[in-house]
Amino acid sequence: MPTVANLPTPTFTFDPDAPGACVAGVRPYRSGSYRLDAESASGKLIVHNYGHGGAGITLSWGCAAKVKGIVQSHIAASHETEVAVLGAGVMGLTAATLLLDLGLTVTIYADRMPAKTTSWKAGGQWAVSIVKYDGKEQELKDILKTSYETFKCSIGKGFGVVERPNYSPIPAENLEVVMRLVPRLLPPREFLERLPFEHHTQSGYKYQTLLIEPPTFLQRLEQDLRQRGVTFVQRKLASSSEVVTSLSQTIVVNCTGLGAQTLWHDTKVVPITGQLAMLPPQPALQYLYSKNGYLFPRSDHVVIGGTYQEHVNNETPDKALCKLLVHYLAAQFGKATPIPIPDVHVHHPRNARMVDPTTPAMLFPIDSPERQALVRAT
Ligand SMILES: Cc1cc2nc3c(=O)[nH]c(=O)nc-3n(C[C@H](O)[C@H](O)[C@H](O)COP(=O)(O)OP(=O)(O)OC[C@H]3O[C@@H](n4cnc5c(N)ncnc54)[C@H](O)[C@@H]3O)c2cc1C
């Protein structure tokens, strides 16, 4: 077997009490599928674009292009010139960007400005994680293609996008799904007899994908929007009727993520909390790594994540969980004593239970065979 040179090993020094070391974000998951459609309410066109779970960054440009298409067809007949975008996360900012290209005057209304959104907290891998698309295969294919190509074109242009290999000892379902839906969009995966890391003896896979650094990406989108005359209004909207009656714009694009649960009484929207451990940056690491959790070396931090707490809507970081998560990843690189494969933390409202509160809630996509097996086993 040819010798494979090892890539640099991460350093796992981690102080969960350091400011900003632990972060918790809540994914806006929607059962069945994300919502991307339009309705009319009291003479207004409402375009919905929310519920993208753990893949909002990934799908953003493709969904924004669909929103643009819907609005473009509408204004061809109505000649309206103003649009309200609700939400300043990635879905709102990308939709607003493409709506400007239609010559519309865009106003963004949001309770939280970009730096306070879930989007800002995302890990940033371009992958289809924790999102359902029942009955929407064709639409998702278009979205993936547009999104990937748009991100790829923005490499090196200040949007925080780079190409990276992702090494995984097991098939990465969130990238495999892209290969099934849009063959040849991503470069082919490679099977490796041994992963190129110290202490790794097992085989694995090398994928090629993109890493999008959310703080850089969102900051750039916001800056460009402001320069192009978009107004940001900090405002919490209480109900869909307030949206319809109080906003002057007759076209409204609803990109409120988890907020759509109350704003639009959408009971399909489910919070899924994820914990992230933010380690100091390590520029020598030019790869992503994933196995029941992930390690994304970015220019601002090495982000370790992959926990999954369904029906939990809590942005207070769980320091103990973050510490365990770092330990689990460190053990895979021979830098900590191995601990058993952490279990899935199952928390259904009808059947609330926790497998073991001392082990991390690891990430398996909803309905994945691994997750189902673990749920059955408990
Ligand atoms: C830990 C973690 C890791 C992740 N990693 C990745 C990843 O690697 N790759 C990836 O693609 N995705 C990832 N995601 C998923 C991604 O972050 C989300 O899918 C995405 O942020 C959703 O964007 P959004 O714009 O819909 O929602 P948000 O970013 O939550 O923005 C919603 C906006 O709507 C506003 N709003 C809501 N309700 C109201 C209201 N009533 N009135 C006024 N304004 C309102 C909010 O203030 C906010 O401005 C991750 C998420 C988490 C939590």
Side-chain angles (χ1 to χ4, degrees):
M1 198 198 303
T3 319
V4 185
N6 284 336
L7 294 172
T9 305
T11 301
F12 291 94
T13 311
F14 177 61
D15 173 9
D17 293 318
C22 297
V23 170
V26 187
R27 303 173 183 94
Y29 177 77
R30 187 169 185 265
S31 60
S33 82
Y34 57 86
R35 186 164 185 201
L36 182 47
D37 57 28
E39 62 174 319
S40 78
S42 306
K44 294 198 183 203
L45 175 77
I46 315 285
V47 185
H48 298 286
N49 183 26
Y50 64 83
H52 302 88
I57 305 288
T58 302
L59 305 181
S60 58
W61 282 123
C63 292
K66 294 278 179 195
V67 168
K68 179 184 173 186
I70 294 170
V71 173
Q72 191 165 22
S73 313
H74 178 78
I75 58 172
S78 70
H79 305 294
E80 284 150 279
T81 58
E82 294 192 11
V83 59
V85 172
L86 313 185
V90 71
M91 307 318 283
L93 298 184
T94 49
T97 301
L98 297 194
L99 290 170
L100 276 180
D101 297 343
L102 295 177
L104 292 165
T105 301
V106 179
T107 306
I108 297 181
Y109 298 89
D111 183 20
R112 297 182 185 200
M113 290 297 122
K116 299 285 179 202
T117 61
T118 297
S119 301
W120 192 274
K121 295 177 177 176
Q125 181 182 211
W126 194 89
V128 181
S129 309
I130 321 175
V131 64
K132 293 277 274 179
Y133 51 95
D134 294 355
K136 291 188 168 183
E137 271 206 12
Q138 189 51 51
E139 182 183 88
L140 186 64
K141 287 179 192 186
D142 296 345
I143 289 171
L144 289 172
K145 206 164 170 299
T146 308
S147 253
Y148 183 76
E149 284 166 359
T150 310
F151 277 121
K152 201 139 185 233
C153 284
S154 69
I155 291 174
K157 296 181 183 162
F159 288 85
V161 185
V162 287
E163 228 163 358
R164 285 284 179 269
N166 182 342
Y167 293 92
S168 176
I170 52 176
E173 181 52 29
N174 54 10
L175 292 167
E176 292 286 334
V177 70
V178 178
M179 293 179 176
R180 281 197 299 276
L181 287 171
V182 197
R184 292 177 298 283
L185 183 64
L186 294 174
R189 90 175 91 55
E190 284 174 52
F191 174 74
L192 304 176
E193 298 282 352
R194 184 184 85 81
L195 287 176
F197 304 108
E198 204 184 337
H199 291 284
H200 276 70
T201 50
Q202 77 265 53
S203 60
Y205 301 87
K206 179 184 178 185
Y207 297 85
Q208 284 292 347
T209 188
L210 305 176
L211 176 67
I212 300 132
E213 302 206 5
T216 308
F217 181 46
L218 296 190
Q219 237 169 316
R220 174 60 187 267
L221 290 175
E222 181 180 357
Q223 179 195 313
D224 287 356
L225 288 167
R226 288 187 188 274
Q227 265 173 15
R228 294 174 73 189
V230 171
T231 308
F232 285 71
V233 178
Q234 205 268 318
R235 173 170 167 185
K236 184 175 174 73
L237 293 146
S239 64
S240 53
S241 51
E242 183 186 332
V243 171
V244 171
T245 55
S246 74
L247 301 186
S248 60
Q249 296 86 353
T250 47
I251 305 172
V252 176
V253 180
N254 172 24
C255 303
T256 51
L258 206 56
Q261 193 184 38
T262 34
L263 209 48
W264 251 268
H265 305 290
D266 189 339
T267 53
K268 289 185 176 174
V269 176
V270 176
I272 300 183
T273 294
Q275 308 287 333
L276 296 173
M278 312 296 268
L279 279 60
Q282 299 174 42
L285 309 180
Q286 299 284 307
Y287 58 83
L288 313 181
Y289 177 89
S290 37
K291 186 193 172 194
N292 301 336
Y294 55 73
L295 178 133
F296 298 164
R298 303 193 321 214
S299 63
D300 57 349
H301 293 105
V302 171
V303 181
I304 294 183
T307 73
Y308 181 104
Q309 293 154 284
E310 202 178 333
H311 292 283
V312 175
N313 184 357
N314 185 352
E315 291 184 296
T316 306
D318 181 334
K319 291 183 184 179
L321 197 51
C322 288
K323 201 171 165 197
L324 209 51
L325 183 58
V326 174
H327 185 122
Y328 180 70
L329 264 291
Q332 295 188 39
F333 287 84
K335 297 290 174 193
T337 43
I339 51 174
I341 294 179
D343 231 330
V344 172
H345 164 149
V346 184
H347 188 187
H348 291 295
R350 272 169 296 132
N351 182 21
R353 59 193 173 144
M354 206 182 282
V355 174
D356 176 353
T358 62
T359 55
M362 300 309 288
L363 186 153
F364 289 112
I366 282 185
D367 297 343
S368 71
E370 297 93 333
R371 185 170 156 77
Q372 293 305 315
L374 279 163
V375 171
R376 274 198 302 278
T378 54

